[in-house]
Amino acid sequence: LQIPILDICVPVLHLDLGIFPWLFDAMVRDAATVDFLLARSLTGNATTDETFSQVRQQQNQLHDAKARLVTHLQNASTAEFQLQWLMTHAPPATNAAAMEDVGRQVQKQWDEARKAASDTEDEIKRLEERLQSMSVHNGPCMSSFEPVLQRHHIERQAYHSGAFTGNHIHRALNQTVVTDIAAAPRKVVEDLFLDGHATVLSESETQTLDAATALQRRYLSLFEGYSSCRQRFAGTSKSTEESLLALRRDIAEFLEMVRVEVVHRQKKTITPKLHLLEVHIEDCIRRFGVSLGLLGEQGGEGLHHKFNKLRTTHSGIKSEVDQLRSILKQHLLSTLPFHLKHVPTVSKRKR
């Protein structure tokens, strides 16, 4: 399609689905360091730098492989949707040859994505087996985040390597939730070393507690930084020079933290979603004159929930046509209540 790039709106939902899980995975990786320090403190046996480096390398490779698997599965899903669209929209005879060529290209993309996903699944299996052979599993700090997510009713998909969903990411960006998530490893260490009492810690225990505290501060700042940016670009208000200046400042501060605390520390790269946030968000809002909350697809997606509730309310109507008519009428009146003045008043029959 010949669509000018300036007419495309930055998708807020996909920013959330890209940036929050990326930060969360980085936090889990950093929690592995605290786990090794914790193991050293509890056992009294110093873990050699060579063993630590080997395990971290295997864990990093495993995390990278799982992230690639999510990407391959998403690419395969997109190609599958395109194939279904081509099958259900028969082209005119004059364009049949061109459409067949497009179909072959999409089929090739789907085949490549599925093969890449299969190969990555095999790689994940090999890496997990290798880690098991090293007698290394997720420690208490790496495992401490999942109970916090469950306590706040934030679920991850059983497939796609535990990917987050959009609605649950919105819940996870709540201030209370990110505070609990970032504090989880420190709470594990405090429960083991302090047990609610003032205790003189050894040097290794102090080092472990300091590492957990630094992790808490680092990722709380990162999550709060993205949440602050999101509040400015995902709203529904008109943009002003002051609001755009504040958005630019918040994004710059957040990306600076990302580069220092994640990219440099874990030798990562800036992702496409972070690039969208840094380079294109402000231009998009400036062009349309409003925040992205009025331009995205979430408003339309939110109608599913409303219509499902209305369908339950009107389930007693036997005729499907009458049921749908009643649902649409109720939705219209709830969305545009001024139409109520056009509804005639039914006068009561006199007895």
Side-chain angles (χ1 to χ4, degrees):
L1 297 177
Q2 298 299 320
I3 302 177
I5 190 67
L6 294 178
D7 291 341
I8 295 178
C9 172
V10 176
V12 175
L13 177 62
H14 291 276
L15 285 180
D16 292 340
L17 291 172
I19 294 176
F20 178 84
W22 187 79
L23 290 175
F24 186 86
D25 288 343
M27 180 175 60
V28 173
R29 290 192 187 191
D30 274 352
T33 302
V34 183
D35 276 329
F36 273 101
L37 295 174
L38 184 62
R40 181 186 299 178
S41 300
L42 294 175
T43 62
N45 296 324
T47 305
T48 63
D49 292 338
E50 182 179 357
T51 302
F52 179 82
S53 176
Q54 291 175 352
V55 173
R56 283 302 303 272
Q57 182 181 11
Q58 295 296 316
Q59 290 176 332
N60 289 341
Q61 290 178 1
L62 181 60
H63 278 284
D64 290 339
K66 289 183 176 180
R68 291 200 310 273
L69 177 60
V70 172
T71 301
H72 295 325
L73 291 173
Q74 289 174 342
N75 291 341
S77 178
T78 301
E80 184 177 2
F81 173 80
Q82 293 172 341
L83 282 173
Q84 291 175 351
W85 187 92
L86 290 172
M87 292 172 63
T88 55
H89 294 71
T94 54
N95 295 329
M99 292 299 290
E100 287 179 6
D101 183 57
V102 172
R104 284 192 294 270
Q105 293 178 12
V106 175
Q107 180 67 50
K108 181 180 178 183
Q109 293 173 3
W110 184 86
D111 291 338
E112 291 176 348
R114 289 303 308 176
K115 184 179 184 304
S118 178
D119 293 343
T120 306
E121 288 173 343
D122 293 340
E123 180 184 354
I124 290 173
K125 184 178 180 180
R126 289 195 301 271
L127 289 170
E128 289 176 341
E129 290 175 350
R130 196 174 302 164
L131 277 174
Q132 288 180 355
S133 68
M134 300 171 73
S135 299
V136 175
H137 306 277
N138 284 353
C141 292
M142 292 182 69
S143 304
S144 64
F145 303 112
E146 199 62 36
V148 178
L149 296 177
Q150 293 176 2
R151 187 167 66 248
H152 291 284
H153 307 289
I154 299 169
E155 300 177 358
R156 294 199 281 177
Q157 297 174 358
Y159 49 92
H160 285 190
S161 297
F164 288 92
T165 61
N167 291 334
H168 288 194
I169 285 181
H170 300 163
R171 190 180 301 160
L173 286 171
N174 178 276
Q175 178 65 44
T176 303
V177 178
V178 296
T179 300
D180 287 351
I181 292 174
R186 177 184 168 88
K187 187 176 185 305
V188 169
V189 175
E190 288 180 340
D191 289 346
L192 289 171
F193 291 162
L194 302 179
D195 194 22
H197 305 287
T199 306
V200 177
L201 301 179
S202 66
E203 182 178 351
S204 62
E205 291 173 341
T206 301
Q207 183 182 7
T208 305
L209 184 59
D210 289 346
T213 303
L215 183 146
Q216 176 185 5
R217 293 173 179 171
R218 182 160 61 249
Y219 284 96
L220 180 59
S221 297
L222 285 165
F223 285 128
E224 288 179 341
Y226 178 65
S227 181
S228 177
C229 295
R230 194 184 186 283
Q231 289 176 7
R232 295 193 184 278
F233 69 70
T236 57
S237 59
K238 289 185 177 180
S239 63
T240 63
E241 284 300 322
E242 291 78 9
S243 65
L244 289 172
L245 181 62
L247 173 62
R248 186 189 311 163
R249 182 187 64 245
D250 286 353
I251 291 176
E253 291 177 356
F254 172 65
L255 265 296
E256 178 63 23
M257 282 193 295
V258 166
R259 288 188 168 91
V260 172
E261 303 294 355
V262 182
V263 174
H264 177 71
R265 287 173 58 88
Q266 298 190 6
K267 294 180 173 55
K268 285 177 168 286
T269 59
I270 294 295
T271 66
K273 304 298 172 58
L274 288 169
H275 170 78
L276 281 175
L277 176 65
E278 184 176 29
V279 178
H280 298 290
I281 284 283
E282 182 184 345
D283 292 341
C284 181
I285 294 177
R286 187 182 297 277
R287 173 175 174 76
F288 291 103
V290 293
S291 298
L292 301 182
L294 292 175
L295 304 174
E297 74 279 23
Q298 281 303 95
E301 292 292 335
L303 290 178
H304 293 304
H305 175 65
K306 292 185 177 180
F307 272 96
N308 287 335
K309 290 182 65 177
L310 288 173
R311 187 175 291 109
T312 302
T313 305
H314 295 77
S315 60
I317 302 176
K318 293 183 178 180
S319 171
E320 292 185 0
V321 175
D322 292 341
Q323 184 184 113
L324 181 59
R325 182 185 294 112
S326 181
I327 290 174
L328 292 175
K329 179 180 178 181
Q330 182 64 37
H331 179 259
L332 174 64
L333 294 179
S334 64
T335 306
L336 302 172
F338 63 84
H339 282 291
L340 285 170
K341 67 182 181 181
H342 300 299
V343 178
T345 303
V346 179
S347 58
K348 294 183 179 180
R349 180 182 299 178
K350 296 181 179 179
R351 293 182 177 179

